[in-house]
Amino acid sequence: MHCSSDLSIQELVRMADILRLLAHPYRLKIVEALENGPQPVHKIVQRLGLSQASVSQHLNAMRRVGLLNAERQGREVWYRIADRRSITILQCIREKRHSADPQTPRGRRYREAARSSGRRKSV
């Protein structure tokens, strides 16, 4: 997909802030946990294996920049993805992992192309 319009500096600053925030493995795991729908905090804590305080800090940082929405349901707080672009980033990471996997046809082509060009591509 090709977008012909230029991005404003304000849009690029916002996206750079979001990318910096997502450049953390546990925050990407949070996106993965919420990819298929809202989850209560205790489920996210279980999935990540971190303390509730640590998970809450990550969730609040992501909520502040608009990546997540939070909603209280009784005594629990449920989080959901507010900005679907975070899922797109996660999908790009998965695609990159898949393309570099030597066990897949695409990965073998990637490695062969790297060898034939005389350069070793980092993964």
PDB file of all heavy atoms in Angstrom, residues 9-41:
ATOM      1  N   ILE A   9       5.293  16.944  10.648  1.00  0.00           N
ATOM      2  CA  ILE A   9       6.271  16.719  11.713  1.00  0.00           C
ATOM      3  C   ILE A   9       5.550  16.343  13.003  1.00  0.00           C
ATOM      4  O   ILE A   9       6.037  15.498  13.764  1.00  0.00           O
ATOM      5  CB  ILE A   9       7.220  17.925  11.891  1.00  0.00           C
ATOM      6  CG1 ILE A   9       8.432  17.518  12.748  1.00  0.00           C
ATOM      7  CG2 ILE A   9       6.496  19.110  12.491  1.00  0.00           C
ATOM      8  CD1 ILE A   9       9.348  16.546  12.100  1.00  0.00           C
ATOM      9  N   GLN A  10       4.377  16.899  13.245  1.00  0.00           N
ATOM     10  CA  GLN A  10       3.613  16.565  14.439  1.00  0.00           C
ATOM     11  C   GLN A  10       3.199  15.087  14.431  1.00  0.00           C
ATOM     12  O   GLN A  10       3.269  14.410  15.458  1.00  0.00           O
ATOM     13  CB  GLN A  10       2.360  17.447  14.577  1.00  0.00           C
ATOM     14  CG  GLN A  10       2.660  18.901  14.852  1.00  0.00           C
ATOM     15  CD  GLN A  10       2.882  19.711  13.562  1.00  0.00           C
ATOM     16  OE1 GLN A  10       2.840  19.185  12.460  1.00  0.00           O
ATOM     17  NE2 GLN A  10       3.130  20.998  13.731  1.00  0.00           N
ATOM     18  N   GLU A  11       2.766  14.598  13.249  1.00  0.00           N
ATOM     19  CA  GLU A  11       2.400  13.180  13.138  1.00  0.00           C
ATOM     20  C   GLU A  11       3.618  12.287  13.362  1.00  0.00           C
ATOM     21  O   GLU A  11       3.527  11.260  14.031  1.00  0.00           O
ATOM     22  CB  GLU A  11       1.796  12.888  11.759  1.00  0.00           C
ATOM     23  CG  GLU A  11       0.453  13.502  11.540  1.00  0.00           C
ATOM     24  CD  GLU A  11       0.000  13.389  10.096  1.00  0.00           C
ATOM     25  OE1 GLU A  11       0.773  13.739   9.178  1.00  0.00           O
ATOM     26  OE2 GLU A  11      -1.142  12.932   9.900  1.00  0.00           O
ATOM     27  N   LEU A  12       4.748  12.689  12.810  1.00  0.00           N
ATOM     28  CA  LEU A  12       5.966  11.896  12.968  1.00  0.00           C
ATOM     29  C   LEU A  12       6.464  11.905  14.415  1.00  0.00           C
ATOM     30  O   LEU A  12       6.939  10.875  14.912  1.00  0.00           O
ATOM     31  CB  LEU A  12       7.046  12.401  12.016  1.00  0.00           C
ATOM     32  CG  LEU A  12       6.750  12.159  10.542  1.00  0.00           C
ATOM     33  CD1 LEU A  12       7.767  12.881   9.673  1.00  0.00           C
ATOM     34  CD2 LEU A  12       6.719  10.680  10.228  1.00  0.00           C
ATOM     35  N   VAL A  13       6.322  13.037  15.085  1.00  0.00           N
ATOM     36  CA  VAL A  13       6.706  13.103  16.502  1.00  0.00           C
ATOM     37  C   VAL A  13       5.830  12.158  17.313  1.00  0.00           C
ATOM     38  O   VAL A  13       6.325  11.388  18.145  1.00  0.00           O
ATOM     39  CB  VAL A  13       6.611  14.557  17.041  1.00  0.00           C
ATOM     40  CG1 VAL A  13       6.669  14.599  18.563  1.00  0.00           C
ATOM     41  CG2 VAL A  13       7.702  15.416  16.441  1.00  0.00           C
ATOM     42  N   ARG A  14       4.538  12.175  17.066  1.00  0.00           N
ATOM     43  CA  ARG A  14       3.617  11.272  17.791  1.00  0.00           C
ATOM     44  C   ARG A  14       3.959   9.816  17.520  1.00  0.00           C
ATOM     45  O   ARG A  14       4.018   8.999  18.437  1.00  0.00           O
ATOM     46  CB  ARG A  14       2.175  11.564  17.396  1.00  0.00           C
ATOM     47  CG  ARG A  14       1.210  10.543  17.996  1.00  0.00           C
ATOM     48  CD  ARG A  14      -0.207  11.003  18.097  1.00  0.00           C
ATOM     49  NE  ARG A  14      -1.160   9.944  18.307  1.00  0.00           N
ATOM     50  CZ  ARG A  14      -1.235   9.167  19.382  1.00  0.00           C
ATOM     51  NH1 ARG A  14      -0.391   9.317  20.369  1.00  0.00           N
ATOM     52  NH2 ARG A  14      -2.148   8.226  19.495  1.00  0.00           N
ATOM     53  N   MET A  15       4.197   9.479  16.270  1.00  0.00           N
ATOM     54  CA  MET A  15       4.519   8.093  15.944  1.00  0.00           C
ATOM     55  C   MET A  15       5.866   7.680  16.539  1.00  0.00           C
ATOM     56  O   MET A  15       6.025   6.544  16.998  1.00  0.00           O
ATOM     57  CB  MET A  15       4.506   7.869  14.429  1.00  0.00           C
ATOM     58  CG  MET A  15       3.119   7.925  13.824  1.00  0.00           C
ATOM     59  SD  MET A  15       1.863   6.953  14.711  1.00  0.00           S
ATOM     60  CE  MET A  15       2.514   5.309  14.564  1.00  0.00           C
ATOM     61  N   ALA A  16       6.831   8.590  16.574  1.00  0.00           N
ATOM     62  CA  ALA A  16       8.125   8.279  17.191  1.00  0.00           C
ATOM     63  C   ALA A  16       7.945   8.001  18.682  1.00  0.00           C
ATOM     64  O   ALA A  16       8.559   7.081  19.228  1.00  0.00           O
ATOM     65  CB  ALA A  16       9.117   9.417  16.966  1.00  0.00           C
ATOM     66  N   ASP A  17       7.091   8.777  19.337  1.00  0.00           N
ATOM     67  CA  ASP A  17       6.802   8.549  20.755  1.00  0.00           C
ATOM     68  C   ASP A  17       6.173   7.167  20.963  1.00  0.00           C
ATOM     69  O   ASP A  17       6.543   6.437  21.887  1.00  0.00           O
ATOM     70  CB  ASP A  17       5.868   9.623  21.307  1.00  0.00           C
ATOM     71  CG  ASP A  17       6.533  10.983  21.464  1.00  0.00           C
ATOM     72  OD1 ASP A  17       7.792  11.036  21.452  1.00  0.00           O
ATOM     73  OD2 ASP A  17       5.796  11.982  21.582  1.00  0.00           O
ATOM     74  N   ILE A  18       5.240   6.825  20.105  1.00  0.00           N
ATOM     75  CA  ILE A  18       4.571   5.520  20.214  1.00  0.00           C
ATOM     76  C   ILE A  18       5.563   4.390  19.947  1.00  0.00           C
ATOM     77  O   ILE A  18       5.589   3.382  20.664  1.00  0.00           O
ATOM     78  CB  ILE A  18       3.352   5.455  19.270  1.00  0.00           C
ATOM     79  CG1 ILE A  18       2.244   6.355  19.815  1.00  0.00           C
ATOM     80  CG2 ILE A  18       2.863   4.020  19.089  1.00  0.00           C
ATOM     81  CD1 ILE A  18       1.083   6.556  18.891  1.00  0.00           C
ATOM     82  N   LEU A  19       6.403   4.550  18.935  1.00  0.00           N
ATOM     83  CA  LEU A  19       7.388   3.505  18.627  1.00  0.00           C
ATOM     84  C   LEU A  19       8.373   3.329  19.778  1.00  0.00           C
ATOM     85  O   LEU A  19       8.737   2.191  20.118  1.00  0.00           O
ATOM     86  CB  LEU A  19       8.123   3.828  17.325  1.00  0.00           C
ATOM     87  CG  LEU A  19       7.288   3.665  16.062  1.00  0.00           C
ATOM     88  CD1 LEU A  19       8.026   4.245  14.865  1.00  0.00           C
ATOM     89  CD2 LEU A  19       6.918   2.213  15.831  1.00  0.00           C
ATOM     90  N   ARG A  20       8.799   4.430  20.396  1.00  0.00           N
ATOM     91  CA  ARG A  20       9.688   4.335  21.562  1.00  0.00           C
ATOM     92  C   ARG A  20       9.008   3.560  22.687  1.00  0.00           C
ATOM     93  O   ARG A  20       9.612   2.731  23.343  1.00  0.00           O
ATOM     94  CB  ARG A  20      10.086   5.729  22.062  1.00  0.00           C
ATOM     95  CG  ARG A  20      11.410   6.208  21.523  1.00  0.00           C
ATOM     96  CD  ARG A  20      11.891   7.453  22.249  1.00  0.00           C
ATOM     97  NE  ARG A  20      10.984   8.590  22.147  1.00  0.00           N
ATOM     98  CZ  ARG A  20      10.939   9.419  21.119  1.00  0.00           C
ATOM     99  NH1 ARG A  20      11.739   9.262  20.091  1.00  0.00           N
ATOM    100  NH2 ARG A  20      10.088  10.425  21.104  1.00  0.00           N
ATOM    101  N   LEU A  21       7.745   3.847  22.904  1.00  0.00           N
ATOM    102  CA  LEU A  21       6.996   3.174  23.958  1.00  0.00           C
ATOM    103  C   LEU A  21       6.851   1.681  23.660  1.00  0.00           C
ATOM    104  O   LEU A  21       6.990   0.843  24.550  1.00  0.00           O
ATOM    105  CB  LEU A  21       5.617   3.817  24.115  1.00  0.00           C
ATOM    106  CG  LEU A  21       4.836   3.321  25.320  1.00  0.00           C
ATOM    107  CD1 LEU A  21       5.346   4.014  26.577  1.00  0.00           C
ATOM    108  CD2 LEU A  21       3.371   3.579  25.137  1.00  0.00           C
ATOM    109  N   LEU A  22       6.605   1.344  22.406  1.00  0.00           N
ATOM    110  CA  LEU A  22       6.422  -0.058  22.032  1.00  0.00           C
ATOM    111  C   LEU A  22       7.744  -0.823  21.908  1.00  0.00           C
ATOM    112  O   LEU A  22       7.735  -2.037  21.779  1.00  0.00           O
ATOM    113  CB  LEU A  22       5.643  -0.164  20.715  1.00  0.00           C
ATOM    114  CG  LEU A  22       4.152   0.069  20.827  1.00  0.00           C
ATOM    115  CD1 LEU A  22       3.517   0.096  19.442  1.00  0.00           C
ATOM    116  CD2 LEU A  22       3.480  -0.964  21.707  1.00  0.00           C
ATOM    117  N   ALA A  23       8.851  -0.121  21.977  1.00  0.00           N
ATOM    118  CA  ALA A  23      10.157  -0.776  21.854  1.00  0.00           C
ATOM    119  C   ALA A  23      10.551  -1.427  23.177  1.00  0.00           C
ATOM    120  O   ALA A  23      11.645  -1.239  23.692  1.00  0.00           O
ATOM    121  CB  ALA A  23      11.211   0.231  21.399  1.00  0.00           C
ATOM    122  N   HIS A  24       9.634  -2.198  23.715  1.00  0.00           N
ATOM    123  CA  HIS A  24       9.843  -2.895  24.981  1.00  0.00           C
ATOM    124  C   HIS A  24       9.136  -4.247  24.871  1.00  0.00           C
ATOM    125  O   HIS A  24       7.960  -4.298  24.510  1.00  0.00           O
ATOM    126  CB  HIS A  24       9.252  -2.069  26.123  1.00  0.00           C
ATOM    127  CG  HIS A  24       9.621  -2.565  27.474  1.00  0.00           C
ATOM    128  ND1 HIS A  24       9.101  -3.720  28.005  1.00  0.00           N
ATOM    129  CD2 HIS A  24      10.481  -2.074  28.393  1.00  0.00           C
ATOM    130  CE1 HIS A  24       9.616  -3.915  29.198  1.00  0.00           C
ATOM    131  NE2 HIS A  24      10.463  -2.919  29.459  1.00  0.00           N
ATOM    132  N   PRO A  25       9.826  -5.334  25.163  1.00  0.00           N
ATOM    133  CA  PRO A  25       9.224  -6.658  24.942  1.00  0.00           C
ATOM    134  C   PRO A  25       7.935  -6.899  25.726  1.00  0.00           C
ATOM    135  O   PRO A  25       6.998  -7.499  25.194  1.00  0.00           O
ATOM    136  CB  PRO A  25      10.320  -7.635  25.366  1.00  0.00           C
ATOM    137  CG  PRO A  25      11.319  -6.843  26.128  1.00  0.00           C
ATOM    138  CD  PRO A  25      11.190  -5.417  25.681  1.00  0.00           C
ATOM    139  N   TYR A  26       7.839  -6.407  26.955  1.00  0.00           N
ATOM    140  CA  TYR A  26       6.611  -6.643  27.719  1.00  0.00           C
ATOM    141  C   TYR A  26       5.449  -5.816  27.196  1.00  0.00           C
ATOM    142  O   TYR A  26       4.301  -6.254  27.244  1.00  0.00           O
ATOM    143  CB  TYR A  26       6.834  -6.396  29.214  1.00  0.00           C
ATOM    144  CG  TYR A  26       7.615  -7.520  29.858  1.00  0.00           C
ATOM    145  CD1 TYR A  26       8.880  -7.299  30.367  1.00  0.00           C
ATOM    146  CD2 TYR A  26       7.099  -8.814  29.927  1.00  0.00           C
ATOM    147  CE1 TYR A  26       9.599  -8.342  30.941  1.00  0.00           C
ATOM    148  CE2 TYR A  26       7.808  -9.849  30.490  1.00  0.00           C
ATOM    149  CZ  TYR A  26       9.060  -9.611  30.997  1.00  0.00           C
ATOM    150  OH  TYR A  26       9.771 -10.634  31.554  1.00  0.00           O
ATOM    151  N   ARG A  27       5.729  -4.652  26.661  1.00  0.00           N
ATOM    152  CA  ARG A  27       4.643  -3.856  26.080  1.00  0.00           C
ATOM    153  C   ARG A  27       4.141  -4.500  24.794  1.00  0.00           C
ATOM    154  O   ARG A  27       2.942  -4.479  24.509  1.00  0.00           O
ATOM    155  CB  ARG A  27       5.093  -2.416  25.874  1.00  0.00           C
ATOM    156  CG  ARG A  27       5.281  -1.728  27.212  1.00  0.00           C
ATOM    157  CD  ARG A  27       5.708  -0.313  27.088  1.00  0.00           C
ATOM    158  NE  ARG A  27       5.952   0.231  28.429  1.00  0.00           N
ATOM    159  CZ  ARG A  27       6.809   1.176  28.675  1.00  0.00           C
ATOM    160  NH1 ARG A  27       7.497   1.746  27.700  1.00  0.00           N
ATOM    161  NH2 ARG A  27       6.985   1.607  29.906  1.00  0.00           N
ATOM    162  N   LEU A  28       5.046  -5.081  24.034  1.00  0.00           N
ATOM    163  CA  LEU A  28       4.610  -5.827  22.847  1.00  0.00           C
ATOM    164  C   LEU A  28       3.808  -7.059  23.254  1.00  0.00           C
ATOM    165  O   LEU A  28       2.832  -7.426  22.596  1.00  0.00           O
ATOM    166  CB  LEU A  28       5.816  -6.217  21.997  1.00  0.00           C
ATOM    167  CG  LEU A  28       6.486  -5.048  21.270  1.00  0.00           C
ATOM    168  CD1 LEU A  28       7.839  -5.470  20.708  1.00  0.00           C
ATOM    169  CD2 LEU A  28       5.586  -4.497  20.183  1.00  0.00           C
ATOM    170  N   LYS A  29       4.188  -7.713  24.364  1.00  0.00           N
ATOM    171  CA  LYS A  29       3.410  -8.852  24.860  1.00  0.00           C
ATOM    172  C   LYS A  29       2.017  -8.408  25.312  1.00  0.00           C
ATOM    173  O   LYS A  29       1.049  -9.153  25.160  1.00  0.00           O
ATOM    174  CB  LYS A  29       4.132  -9.556  26.018  1.00  0.00           C
ATOM    175  CG  LYS A  29       5.325 -10.386  25.616  1.00  0.00           C
ATOM    176  CD  LYS A  29       4.976 -11.483  24.630  1.00  0.00           C
ATOM    177  CE  LYS A  29       4.389 -12.704  25.283  1.00  0.00           C
ATOM    178  NZ  LYS A  29       4.149 -13.787  24.303  1.00  0.00           N
ATOM    179  N   ILE A  30       1.917  -7.193  25.843  1.00  0.00           N
ATOM    180  CA  ILE A  30       0.603  -6.668  26.219  1.00  0.00           C
ATOM    181  C   ILE A  30      -0.260  -6.493  24.977  1.00  0.00           C
ATOM    182  O   ILE A  30      -1.432  -6.874  24.965  1.00  0.00           O
ATOM    183  CB  ILE A  30       0.740  -5.350  27.012  1.00  0.00           C
ATOM    184  CG1 ILE A  30       1.301  -5.647  28.409  1.00  0.00           C
ATOM    185  CG2 ILE A  30      -0.600  -4.618  27.100  1.00  0.00           C
ATOM    186  CD1 ILE A  30       1.717  -4.421  29.199  1.00  0.00           C
ATOM    187  N   VAL A  31       0.321  -5.950  23.920  1.00  0.00           N
ATOM    188  CA  VAL A  31      -0.420  -5.812  22.657  1.00  0.00           C
ATOM    189  C   VAL A  31      -0.873  -7.193  22.195  1.00  0.00           C
ATOM    190  O   VAL A  31      -2.035  -7.376  21.809  1.00  0.00           O
ATOM    191  CB  VAL A  31       0.434  -5.110  21.574  1.00  0.00           C
ATOM    192  CG1 VAL A  31      -0.263  -5.162  20.220  1.00  0.00           C
ATOM    193  CG2 VAL A  31       0.725  -3.672  21.976  1.00  0.00           C
ATOM    194  N   GLU A  32       0.024  -8.166  22.259  1.00  0.00           N
ATOM    195  CA  GLU A  32      -0.318  -9.530  21.858  1.00  0.00           C
ATOM    196  C   GLU A  32      -1.451 -10.093  22.724  1.00  0.00           C
ATOM    197  O   GLU A  32      -2.377 -10.731  22.210  1.00  0.00           O
ATOM    198  CB  GLU A  32       0.929 -10.405  21.970  1.00  0.00           C
ATOM    199  CG  GLU A  32       0.767 -11.788  21.399  1.00  0.00           C
ATOM    200  CD  GLU A  32       2.068 -12.565  21.460  1.00  0.00           C
ATOM    201  OE1 GLU A  32       2.615 -12.733  22.567  1.00  0.00           O
ATOM    202  OE2 GLU A  32       2.523 -12.998  20.395  1.00  0.00           O
ATOM    203  N   ALA A  33      -1.405  -9.837  24.025  1.00  0.00           N
ATOM    204  CA  ALA A  33      -2.437 -10.334  24.939  1.00  0.00           C
ATOM    205  C   ALA A  33      -3.801  -9.720  24.637  1.00  0.00           C
ATOM    206  O   ALA A  33      -4.829 -10.373  24.808  1.00  0.00           O
ATOM    207  CB  ALA A  33      -2.041 -10.041  26.385  1.00  0.00           C
ATOM    208  N   LEU A  34      -3.806  -8.473  24.182  1.00  0.00           N
ATOM    209  CA  LEU A  34      -5.065  -7.762  23.932  1.00  0.00           C
ATOM    210  C   LEU A  34      -5.513  -7.811  22.471  1.00  0.00           C
ATOM    211  O   LEU A  34      -6.574  -7.285  22.139  1.00  0.00           O
ATOM    212  CB  LEU A  34      -4.923  -6.308  24.381  1.00  0.00           C
ATOM    213  CG  LEU A  34      -4.620  -6.107  25.872  1.00  0.00           C
ATOM    214  CD1 LEU A  34      -4.362  -4.640  26.153  1.00  0.00           C
ATOM    215  CD2 LEU A  34      -5.745  -6.652  26.724  1.00  0.00           C
ATOM    216  N   GLU A  35      -4.709  -8.432  21.646  1.00  0.00           N
ATOM    217  CA  GLU A  35      -4.975  -8.470  20.205  1.00  0.00           C
ATOM    218  C   GLU A  35      -6.356  -9.038  19.875  1.00  0.00           C
ATOM    219  O   GLU A  35      -7.019  -8.585  18.943  1.00  0.00           O
ATOM    220  CB  GLU A  35      -3.872  -9.306  19.560  1.00  0.00           C
ATOM    221  CG  GLU A  35      -3.907  -9.418  18.088  1.00  0.00           C
ATOM    222  CD  GLU A  35      -2.690 -10.169  17.576  1.00  0.00           C
ATOM    223  OE1 GLU A  35      -2.057 -10.940  18.336  1.00  0.00           O
ATOM    224  OE2 GLU A  35      -2.395  -9.982  16.397  1.00  0.00           O
ATOM    225  N   ASN A  36      -6.806 -10.023  20.627  1.00  0.00           N
ATOM    226  CA  ASN A  36      -8.085 -10.671  20.326  1.00  0.00           C
ATOM    227  C   ASN A  36      -9.227 -10.193  21.194  1.00  0.00           C
ATOM    228  O   ASN A  36     -10.291 -10.798  21.202  1.00  0.00           O
ATOM    229  CB  ASN A  36      -7.931 -12.189  20.440  1.00  0.00           C
ATOM    230  CG  ASN A  36      -6.998 -12.727  19.381  1.00  0.00           C
ATOM    231  OD1 ASN A  36      -7.080 -12.334  18.221  1.00  0.00           O
ATOM    232  ND2 ASN A  36      -6.099 -13.597  19.772  1.00  0.00           N
ATOM    233  N   GLY A  37      -9.009  -9.114  21.920  1.00  0.00           N
ATOM    234  CA  GLY A  37     -10.097  -8.551  22.712  1.00  0.00           C
ATOM    235  C   GLY A  37      -9.648  -8.108  24.087  1.00  0.00           C
ATOM    236  O   GLY A  37      -8.533  -8.384  24.515  1.00  0.00           O
ATOM    237  N   PRO A  38     -10.544  -7.402  24.773  1.00  0.00           N
ATOM    238  CA  PRO A  38     -10.223  -6.863  26.098  1.00  0.00           C
ATOM    239  C   PRO A  38      -9.892  -7.956  27.106  1.00  0.00           C
ATOM    240  O   PRO A  38     -10.400  -9.085  27.008  1.00  0.00           O
ATOM    241  CB  PRO A  38     -11.506  -6.133  26.510  1.00  0.00           C
ATOM    242  CG  PRO A  38     -12.286  -5.950  25.261  1.00  0.00           C
ATOM    243  CD  PRO A  38     -11.898  -7.060  24.351  1.00  0.00           C
ATOM    244  N   GLN A  39      -9.045  -7.591  28.069  1.00  0.00           N
ATOM    245  CA  GLN A  39      -8.649  -8.506  29.138  1.00  0.00           C
ATOM    246  C   GLN A  39      -8.597  -7.739  30.451  1.00  0.00           C
ATOM    247  O   GLN A  39      -8.205  -6.573  30.473  1.00  0.00           O
ATOM    248  CB  GLN A  39      -7.251  -9.080  28.875  1.00  0.00           C
ATOM    249  CG  GLN A  39      -7.137  -9.976  27.672  1.00  0.00           C
ATOM    250  CD  GLN A  39      -7.732 -11.345  27.934  1.00  0.00           C
ATOM    251  OE1 GLN A  39      -7.579 -11.918  29.000  1.00  0.00           O
ATOM    252  NE2 GLN A  39      -8.424 -11.861  26.935  1.00  0.00           N
ATOM    253  N   PRO A  40      -8.935  -8.416  31.559  1.00  0.00           N
ATOM    254  CA  PRO A  40      -8.751  -7.771  32.856  1.00  0.00           C
ATOM    255  C   PRO A  40      -7.275  -7.782  33.236  1.00  0.00           C
ATOM    256  O   PRO A  40      -6.505  -8.622  32.759  1.00  0.00           O
ATOM    257  CB  PRO A  40      -9.575  -8.645  33.812  1.00  0.00           C
ATOM    258  CG  PRO A  40      -9.590  -9.991  33.168  1.00  0.00           C
ATOM    259  CD  PRO A  40      -9.554  -9.731  31.674  1.00  0.00           C
ATOM    260  N   VAL A  41      -6.896  -6.857  34.094  1.00  0.00           N
ATOM    261  CA  VAL A  41      -5.488  -6.726  34.480  1.00  0.00           C
ATOM    262  C   VAL A  41      -4.932  -8.045  35.007  1.00  0.00           C
ATOM    263  O   VAL A  41      -3.818  -8.430  34.643  1.00  0.00           O
ATOM    264  CB  VAL A  41      -5.318  -5.601  35.532  1.00  0.00           C
ATOM    265  CG1 VAL A  41      -3.895  -5.576  36.061  1.00  0.00           C
ATOM    266  CG2 VAL A  41      -5.675  -4.262  34.926  1.00  0.00           C
TER     267      VAL A  41
END
